[in-house]
Amino acid sequence: MADGEVKLLDFWPSMFGMRVRIALAEKGVAYEYVDEDLANKSPLLLQMNPIHKKIPVLVHNGKPICESSIIVEYIDEVWNHKAPILPSDPYERAQARFWVDYIDKKLYEPTRKIWGSKGEEQEAGKKEFIGILKQMEEVLGEKAYFGGERLGFVDISLIGFCTWFDVYESFGNFSIEAECPKLMGWVKRCLQNESVSKTLPDPKKVHDFVLQWKKKLGL
């Protein structure tokens, strides 16, 4: 089951795609990376994800798995020989899934308001974003990682957003470190893991991409 061809359809600045790349790196899985042009989606992407037509899509032996958090769970189950991502305890596993669902439902929209709007809408996005990060700080508590002593499901699901922090700070004119120092400590711990540091793109590259994207959108 774990053998065979593995292909990832992705887009390099996507924090959702970053999750999958980190999970694959944690497990040491070799795969073919396909960077999609989201303005001109490939026939393969449309074929493999006909419902949402979105990245990331993991294609394992010709079969597609869609939605980043589902893909990470799939990777954990299929390549279960090393680096467990989800907790073994059913309650802890349920909690991890709850917080990943929270991140998925809550975090993207306010961040888009920070870099993609101005005035009251931007301020509302900023306030909501900081509130979510403060909530995640409470969940983290005094632990090194959300799952305890090592990188886990919640960490992998959240850490990709940190490559966009420079974007949020420069457009929103605020400091995440000043607002959420504990969370920034967690970011630094995550970056000590090779699977994270070697996977995440340079924040400056992300910043340049957003500048170009805003020009294209006329924002």
Side-chain angles (χ1 to χ4, degrees):
M1 177 73 178
D3 298 332
E5 183 191 39
V6 182
K7 188 179 285 191
L8 178 61
L9 312 182
D10 198 0
F11 180 45
W12 70 268
S14 166
M15 59 279 283
F16 300 104
M18 290 172 209
R19 297 172 170 181
V20 179
R21 283 173 259 158
I22 292 168
L24 289 166
E26 276 285 296
K27 299 287 186 175
V29 179
Y31 63 97
E32 181 190 343
Y33 181 81
V34 181
D35 202 56
E36 287 282 340
D37 174 1
L38 298 188
N40 185 25
K41 294 169 184 175
S42 73
L44 182 62
L45 175 61
L46 300 176
Q47 178 197 340
M48 290 294 165
N49 191 0
I51 305 299
H52 296 306
K53 303 175 177 62
K54 287 179 178 177
I55 55 91
V57 180
L58 187 77
V59 185
H60 185 203
N61 291 330
K63 294 176 180 174
I65 303 97
C66 306
E67 297 296 304
S68 61
S69 58
I70 294 171
I71 298 170
V72 172
E73 289 207 42
Y74 177 84
I75 291 166
D76 197 35
E77 285 180 28
V78 173
W79 290 277
N80 58 9
H81 63 293
K82 65 178 279 196
I85 292 170
L86 274 92
S88 57
D89 177 77
Y91 177 76
E92 295 299 331
R93 198 158 59 240
Q95 289 300 302
R97 284 180 175 135
F98 174 87
W99 288 111
V100 169
D101 185 63
Y102 174 82
I103 292 162
D104 283 352
K105 285 176 177 163
K106 295 283 188 182
L107 202 51
Y108 185 71
E109 281 310 313
T111 62
R112 194 177 165 80
K113 284 177 192 169
I114 294 169
W115 65 263
S117 66
K118 289 176 181 170
E120 281 182 22
E121 191 182 353
Q122 186 187 51
E123 283 304 309
K126 200 160 83 175
K127 189 177 175 186
E128 193 180 342
F129 172 66
I130 292 165
I132 292 163
L133 292 192
K134 285 185 184 295
Q135 175 65 69
M136 294 312 296
E137 279 193 321
E138 280 186 37
V139 178
L140 181 64
E142 299 307 314
K143 301 188 295 289
Y145 298 99
F146 285 97
E149 290 306 306
R150 64 180 311 278
L151 203 69
F153 192 33
V154 181
D155 306 286
I156 289 170
S157 300
L158 183 58
I159 193 60
F161 283 89
C162 84
T163 61
W164 285 68
F165 280 4
D166 187 46
V167 171
Y168 310 148
E169 289 179 328
S170 63
F171 288 110
N173 193 28
F174 68 109
S175 161
I176 294 168
E177 179 115 45
E179 297 282 353
C180 303
K182 189 183 279 187
L183 197 82
M184 290 307 293
W186 164 81
V187 168
K188 287 164 190 161
R189 279 193 295 282
C190 286
L191 287 166
Q192 288 167 7
N193 294 270
E194 206 172 272
S195 62
V196 177
S197 60
K198 288 196 168 177
T199 297
L200 296 186
D202 182 347
K204 286 185 174 53
K205 191 181 171 192
V206 175
H207 192 271
D208 291 345
F209 159 76
V210 174
L211 283 174
Q212 294 301 318
W213 188 245
K214 277 171 73 82
K215 268 184 203 167
K216 210 178 273 186
L217 295 175
L219 296 171

